[in-house]
Amino acid sequence: MSNQADVAEAERLKTLGNELYQQGEYDAARHRYTEAIKKNPKNPVLYANRGAVYLATKEYIEAAHDCKKAVDLDPTYAKAWGRLGKATHGLSDWARCVEAWQKALDCLPKENLTATERILKVQFTEGLNNALGARRRIETSIVSLDRSSRNTPWHRAESLTQARQAARKPSCVFVIKFAYDALKEGLKKMDAMKVVKDARGREMTHGEKALQDLTNCIMADDRIFHLPDPNSFLEKIQKQSMLEAESNRAFLNDGGLAAIKEQILKRLKSESWNTVRPSIATTIRIWIWEGFFRYRMFGHFGFAFEMYTKTIDLLEWGRKQWPKVPDSDRGVVFKLTFIRGVKRLHLDLMHASVASKRKDTPYTFSDLAATATELLEDVNSAPPPAGEMYVGDMLAFWDYVKGDALSILGWCNLEQGLFAEYIDGDKDKSLGLIQAAGEYYLAAAECYPEDEPHHSTFLRKYLECLCYSEKPLRLTLPVCERIRTVIPQALEVYAAPPFNEQLKKEMLEVSEFESRCKEGVMEGRLTLDSVEKIVIPKVGKNKTEKDNLPFKVVYPGDEGYEQAVEA
């Protein structure tokens, strides 16, 4: 076909795509726009229209990619800038979002606006104001730590590992060591990356797979992730991701998830599994890493949500697509333990979103409880394989996942129980929910070793539920004693601030409650059948979505630190 014929065909396909989009047939519309782009890749409207489809299906990364392509082709395209603003808002990428809305406004005439342009101006102005407000609310989740300290959990774990091994009992130090060893290895590989020039003067990057280690770290125990040098890390990780994406031909610019699946199947027809598998694995590792890091570093909730959702979808599709292929051939990313690790990250993100009462959260209590229940069923239906297994793997990908799911079910029941009493005035419903919450929290605590802070924290929540349920001292005091016994074990590992602050707070609250009740019994003011309530800390609405997340550590004072945080 001639070029003119191609342009005409692209217009025909665009018209069909527009009709399908109006009818809500988004997959079909995306396909039409994609075919049109192949015919006329220089038409910015085609990219903007496909971006509108991705916005409708909440695939914000793909939407942002297409809208960016549209404004690159036509920098005066106001509607494309506006769609880029919507896409980056969905990703919580406030710097790009503000820029996009401002560009959209700048592209409109300053006066004599048409009726359509006046409507767009109102939309663009509202989008800009919302983005500016959201950007001001973002606060860093970064906390400082003395880099010379040898009391960090990972240093304590290294010194305690031998003794814990000799004791032959579960310990959090095994998980910490597993996560920290992976982090160290990943950072080591990044440091060894080299950029050299070929005979033509072109830069060539050489290095090893570091993303595998970094993602293993955060899926095992994301509290252990920290940056010894945040200023240089940002530049290194960008080069590392680019290196691995290029060398393994990752599916990062192949359109939406449906298009990536099509491309995988297409490549498998002409290539061997050994060349396609690294492409899939690298794509997934990059998605996990970028979702985690951008959320923790910059508060990009929507971006992390989409990354985790896409990852889980692709992983589960892969298991169904090749059900009889052994794991040794499919690769580690399709293993149930790997999928479970991603689901755990996603569940924690959901919990943070619901708990922080985000206005833009796509989740409800029911969604959170259903996802936690599904993950719990996943763990229970796939017990650890027979034979030898490193205890760190066992804890991180079975017990900890189960504990997370149970604790979130406890949280959902407790929150709804309190709501039923104080808002609905339904005492019986409230009592049933809170008692169920207590059982969930107790079961969650028992999934963790006694030296893991989650163990004492969930026992503390169990104690709160007993008190709310008006259980007597003969039931609550033994829980206090149990909590006092395990907290010192956790403090042996989590010895330094800010890691030990919550543990010390819990110890003080429980000890004060226990002492007050025992004194009352000794003085005859109380009996073991008396009901007393522990002081329940009042928790207001969180400032940002990150307040509910485990901390990560970087170091203020480094050159370029402020720029790194605000980038």
Side-chain angles (χ1 to χ4, degrees), residues 2 284 302 480 522:
S2 67
I284 286 170
C480 293
M522 291 178 63

Side-chain angles (χ1 to χ4, degrees), residues 99-112:
E99 179 189 19
W101 288 120
Q102 188 60 63
K103 291 279 191 181
L105 285 168
D106 293 343
C107 289
L108 294 175
K110 302 303 179 186
E111 54 187 7
N112 300 324

Side-chain angles (χ1 to χ4, degrees), residues 107-123:
C107 289
L108 294 175
K110 302 303 179 186
E111 54 187 7
N112 300 324
L113 278 71
T114 65
T116 299
E117 288 169 341
R118 286 196 294 271
I119 293 172
L120 289 175
K121 184 174 181 179
V122 171
Q123 294 175 351

